[in-house]
Amino acid sequence: MGAATGPASQPLHLAIAHPHLWSPQDPFLYTFKATLIQGKQRDDVTSYAGLRSIAIAKVDGRNRIVLNGKPTFLLATLDQGYWPDGIYTAPTDAALKFDIQKTKDLGFNTIRKHIKVEPARWYYWADRIGLMVWQYMPALSNGHNDALSDADKTQFRDDVSAIVKQLKGETSIIGWIAFNEGWGRWSIPAAGELAAQIKQLDPSRLVDARSGANCCDTKGDPHAGDVYDVHDYQGPGLPSPDAERAAIDGEHGGLTLGVPGHVWPNTPINPYGAVKDSDALTDGYVANTAVLRDKGPSVGVSGSVYTQITDVEGEHNGLYTYDRKIEKVDESKVRAINDATIRAGGQP
């Protein structure tokens, strides 16, 4: 408990002697109540906030991601947030909650929100259920980076600043991703410049300057931000931290299983690794993740992102079908290997 008073025009500082920290294992949220008094008039506003820290620290001589001061393996799924009955818009609040809850049920502790800013309720559920979030910035047009005008770049920088300011209060967001692979990135130094812009706005979170430094358009490591990030299909990738940054595998997996009657019709499918049935998908996922469990600690990798939680129109590599009606893997086996991987990665 704590309280602070002061003039409405000045910030207030509230001291909590023994803070109860937020984590995926214990997503505790404080209730905050602000009261504005003028004469006999009174206005009350109630909200919530979690208290937690996220940082890079030396652990056994290597840079690692630490949550609340403890080395933590950020085991994530890629989450694009598409819906067959709304595309970018979920049909209900319960639907927003479903994806986050199922991610937690499967044993993940992190989500990589891919190329999308969600409604406030999505982040509410991530805060409440207890999932860390890598928030990726929506990309400029892919494949035409050399045609971007100065006005395009300025608008993009302004939009990134607006996103950071809008979402800065969300407990679940532990890091920002400036660029994905080479999408919309007009130069290698641009990733470092945008990372510095984000870090100045929000020094309390991690910044991944470029997810997939080894991949695709305009390959190259900007040597900036807090995280060195590679993409490796099927992988997983096992990057090592460098002198300044922790390391993660920003995308891997992508094992494909289409379920008849639950796929989007008449769309080409990305050529990920195909499996024959649910048992094969489960076994493939377990074998893939076991590499992170067994080899990740020795190289000091701090996290991974499996592609992906649900199918979308042209990708059938989800752990759920696009309509969320079929769970394509054995949940107990997936959770077991996920729990073991997080434990091996350092989280007590």
Side-chain angles (χ1 to χ4, degrees), residues 40-89:
K40 295 183 179 180
Q41 293 181 316
R42 177 189 180 102
D43 192 12
D44 294 321
V45 176
T46 301
S47 188
Y48 73 88
L51 302 180
R52 57 112 189 94
S53 65
I54 192 77
I56 305 298
K58 292 289 185 183
V59 178
D60 296 329
R62 290 191 174 101
N63 282 319
R64 292 284 308 281
I65 295 175
V66 293
L67 174 69
N68 298 326
K70 298 178 181 179
T72 303
F73 191 87
L74 277 62
L75 187 71
T77 59
L78 189 79
D79 185 330
Q80 300 197 56
Y82 283 88
W83 298 85
D85 48 0
I87 310 303
Y88 270 122
T89 304

Side-chain angles (χ1 to χ4, degrees), residues 37 52 109 115 136 142 146 157 195 262 290 292 310 315 320-321 324 340 343:
I37 300 173
R52 57 112 189 94
N109 63 6
I115 328 179
Y136 168 50
N142 188 29
D146 56 349
R157 293 188 190 100
H262 299 274
L292 294 165
T310 70
E315 298 173 355
Y320 264 83
T321 55
R324 280 72 168 174
R343 288 196 305 271

Side-chain angles (χ1 to χ4, degrees), residues 84 256-269 311-317 320-326 328:
T256 292
L257 175 65
V259 180
H262 299 274
V263 299
W264 197 252
N266 303 317
T267 54
I269 304 303
D311 294 348
V312 294
E313 285 92 339
E315 298 173 355
H316 296 170
N317 49 19
Y320 264 83
T321 55
Y322 189 26
D323 57 12
R324 280 72 168 174
K325 292 182 178 179
I326 304 293
K328 296 194 286 181

Side-chain angles (χ1 to χ4, degrees), residues 77 99-108 110-111 131 309:
T77 59
D99 282 8
I100 297 170
Q101 185 63 62
K102 293 312 300 183
T103 301
K104 186 72 175 282
D105 293 345
L106 285 159
F108 297 94
T110 309
I111 293 171
L131 272 295
I309 185 61

Side-chain angles (χ1 to χ4, degrees), residues 22 29 48 93 96-97 100 118-131 170-172:
W22 181 98
L29 297 169
Y48 73 88
D93 182 54
L96 286 175
K97 181 182 178 182
I100 297 170
E118 291 284 5
R121 286 293 291 186
W122 189 91
Y123 300 97
Y124 166 84
W125 287 119
D127 293 345
R128 188 70 62 185
I129 292 169
L131 272 295
E170 303 296 345
T171 304
S172 53

